[in-house]
Amino acid sequence: MTVANTFKSEQEADPGLDLTRGFLPATDPLVRLDSRFAAWEETAAELPKLLVSNRLRRRLANLPRLSIEGIDTAAQQERAMLLLSYLGQSYVWGERTPPEAIPESIALPWYEVAQLLDRPPILSYASYALNNWRRLDASGPVEIGNLCLLQNFWGGADEEWFVIIHVDIEMRAAAALRRLQPAQVAAAEGDVATLTEHLEAIRDSLQGMYAVLLRMPDLCDPYIYYRRVRPYIFGWKDHPAIPNGLVYDGVAAYGDNPQRFRGETGAQSSIIPALDAVLGVRHAEDPLRAYLLEMRDYMPVDHRRFIARIEAGPGVRDMVVARRDQGLVDAYDECVELVRGFRAKHLEYAATYIQHQAQAGATNPTEVGTGGTPFMRYLKKHRDETASHSVPHGEG
């Protein structure tokens, strides 16, 4: 059996996740858990009010200790993870000084639901964006203009817009993601015309994603983002205000040992890692690459598996270089340039929305990202490494 036939057989035996909506859930996220979990639902709905009061931690610490029994479906688990993540993040970052521990009423069910999902008990991109939206018109498209969030911290246009931009980008990425494995099959079969067609479709999808990214400043102001959106999505790993992490009260598996988890970050989206994999974009073996690999622990399990399948598949870039077909080289280079451009625009936004802001206290540092990294250096490196993978015309 040829490499191409073996690869196709493996894909047919393990088709993976439904990519109709890319990495968004195939069905709209659950809007509410049943009445047994009313305490979580009602408190989460009041977070914007509680965050401007002096009652936040007292209210959250006094939540009833609810069993997660009955949270069985993936949609229920994601809804519970979303609620507990917003409650937990608010407890940690909702007052001037971070606590040393998260109360059992939040920590234990948070840990238990996280175990079901095989993700750390902290707010991640999957809860912040992928499963945090609904359509205003249930029969309409999943796109800006027909989307709103299920849950906010402060609320307001800037927070809403910041997350909805990401949801729209995820939806637009679907057209590219559906082409990744077919592109690898075409590469393995040496089919220049088909591979070119797939790369052109990936390029078109990337152009749509980039156009949406350019709309970020429309309704998300840098000052408001820094002051009202960013403070609540930090983690407690490599954060200067919580250097040793936090204790999760009541979680026997952790004992009294503080836990250190990364905060929510776009690096937890699976889109760019999947595109890197199919395009053969490699990142140097250093702490920055280790960080990217660590981010996969915060992704949904099926997303991780999808990336791993693409990484294990036939190389697209190798064929592009070997065949020396100018149309193929052009299509490939256009994809690489768009991924580079996406990263470059992200870097530009990071400078405007974070680095150039006047630091507002130790809990919201301008030199450390929400994931606990020196983000400007990381983003520059990823941008430059992407650019280095274009195929010179003389080589193609």
Side-chain angles (χ1 to χ4, degrees), residues 334-361:
E334 287 170 342
C335 290
V336 171
E337 171 56 23
L338 281 161
V339 173
R340 186 211 66 81
F342 203 89
R343 283 181 155 133
K345 181 56 65 174
H346 186 190
L347 174 63
E348 177 186 322
Y349 285 162
T352 303
Y353 281 75
I354 303 168
Q355 190 183 45
H356 296 166
Q357 297 297 311
Q359 182 161 319

Side-chain angles (χ1 to χ4, degrees), residues 1 6 21 23 38 62 90 161 174 186 198 234 251 261 272 292 311 316 352 363 378:
M1 182 178 288
T6 299
R21 292 178 172 178
F23 290 125
N62 288 330
S90 297
W161 190 252
H198 289 314
F234 281 98
V251 179
F261 298 121
I272 297 300
L292 289 181
E311 289 178 332
V316 167
T352 303
T363 60
Y378 278 35

Side-chain angles (χ1 to χ4, degrees), residues 64-145:
R65 164 68 179 90
L66 300 181
S67 168
I68 69 165
E69 184 176 354
I71 298 179
D72 301 317
T73 68
Q76 290 170 332
Q77 292 166 4
E78 290 291 359
R79 177 65 183 171
M81 186 67 165
L82 181 156
L83 292 170
L84 290 163
S85 295
Y86 270 78
L87 296 174
Q89 298 285 140
S90 297
Y91 187 89
V92 174
W93 299 114
E95 296 188 11
R96 186 177 297 274
T97 304
E100 295 182 356
I102 303 169
E104 181 176 344
S105 58
I106 299 172
L108 185 53
W110 200 4
Y111 166 81
E112 291 171 339
V113 173
Q115 289 292 107
L116 296 176
L117 293 170
D118 193 20
R119 298 203 299 267
I122 193 169
L123 178 68
S124 64
Y125 184 81
S127 295
Y128 193 56
L130 299 182
N131 292 280
N132 188 22
W133 55 272
R134 67 177 175 86
R135 289 182 285 175
L136 296 169
D137 174 0
S139 63
V142 180
E143 67 181 23
I144 291 172

Side-chain angles (χ1 to χ4, degrees), residues 252-380:
Y254 294 161
D256 294 324
N257 300 312
Q259 303 300 304
R260 302 172 70 240
F261 298 121
R262 300 284 186 189
E264 191 281 331
T265 167
Q268 294 165 0
S269 169
S270 303
I271 296 172
I272 297 300
L275 289 168
D276 277 351
V278 79
L279 296 173
V281 174
R282 308 297 181 193
H283 298 286
E285 294 288 348
D286 58 20
L288 306 190
R289 175 170 167 74
Y291 168 75
L292 289 181
L293 294 176
E294 184 183 2
M295 289 299 94
R296 298 191 188 184
D297 294 339
Y298 296 76
M299 298 175 183
V301 173
D302 53 357
H303 298 188
R304 297 178 223 162
R305 290 173 179 162
F306 180 81
I307 295 169
R309 282 197 295 271
I310 300 300
E311 289 178 332
V316 167
R317 190 178 189 278
D318 291 343
M319 180 189 166
V320 172
V321 173
R323 284 305 180 103
R324 300 178 180 275
D325 179 272
Q326 197 57 58
L328 179 61
V329 171
D330 288 345
Y332 173 86
D333 280 354
E334 287 170 342
C335 290
V336 171
E337 171 56 23
L338 281 161
V339 173
R340 186 211 66 81
F342 203 89
R343 283 181 155 133
K345 181 56 65 174
H346 186 190
L347 174 63
E348 177 186 322
Y349 285 162
T352 303
Y353 281 75
I354 303 168
Q355 190 183 45
H356 296 166
Q357 297 297 311
Q359 182 161 319
T363 60
N364 194 6
T366 57
E367 299 299 325
V368 176
T370 52
T373 65
F375 60 95
M376 292 298 290
R377 180 159 58 92
Y378 278 35
L379 293 173
K380 288 176 183 176

Side-chain angles (χ1 to χ4, degrees), residues 83-236:
L83 292 170
L84 290 163
S85 295
Y86 270 78
L87 296 174
Q89 298 285 140
S90 297
Y91 187 89
V92 174
W93 299 114
E95 296 188 11
R96 186 177 297 274
T97 304
E100 295 182 356
I102 303 169
E104 181 176 344
S105 58
I106 299 172
L108 185 53
W110 200 4
Y111 166 81
E112 291 171 339
V113 173
Q115 289 292 107
L116 296 176
L117 293 170
D118 193 20
R119 298 203 299 267
I122 193 169
L123 178 68
S124 64
Y125 184 81
S127 295
Y128 193 56
L130 299 182
N131 292 280
N132 188 22
W133 55 272
R134 67 177 175 86
R135 289 182 285 175
L136 296 169
D137 174 0
S139 63
V142 180
E143 67 181 23
I144 291 172
N146 194 40
L147 291 171
C148 63
L149 298 189
L150 295 175
Q151 182 65 50
N152 301 82
F153 287 107
W154 277 92
D158 302 85
E159 181 182 349
E160 194 88 5
W161 190 252
F162 175 71
V163 182
I164 291 303
I165 285 284
H166 288 82
V167 176
D168 192 307
I169 289 171
E170 291 284 341
M171 185 66 194
R172 290 174 187 271
L177 297 173
R178 290 194 295 270
R179 297 282 187 151
L180 302 192
Q181 290 174 324
Q184 290 183 306
V185 171
E189 293 177 339
D191 187 340
V192 171
T194 301
L195 178 56
T196 302
E197 177 187 338
H198 289 314
L199 288 172
E200 288 172 346
I202 293 169
R203 174 203 63 200
D204 293 346
S205 177
L206 278 162
Q207 288 173 339
M209 293 162 54
Y210 186 71
V212 173
L213 182 63
L214 292 178
R215 296 187 63 187
M216 181 65 79
D218 290 359
L219 288 176
C220 185
D221 178 81
Y223 177 85
I224 299 299
Y225 168 79
Y226 176 73
R227 293 278 181 157
R228 294 287 181 262
V229 179
R230 187 177 190 246
Y232 303 100
I233 61 178
F234 281 98
W236 27 98

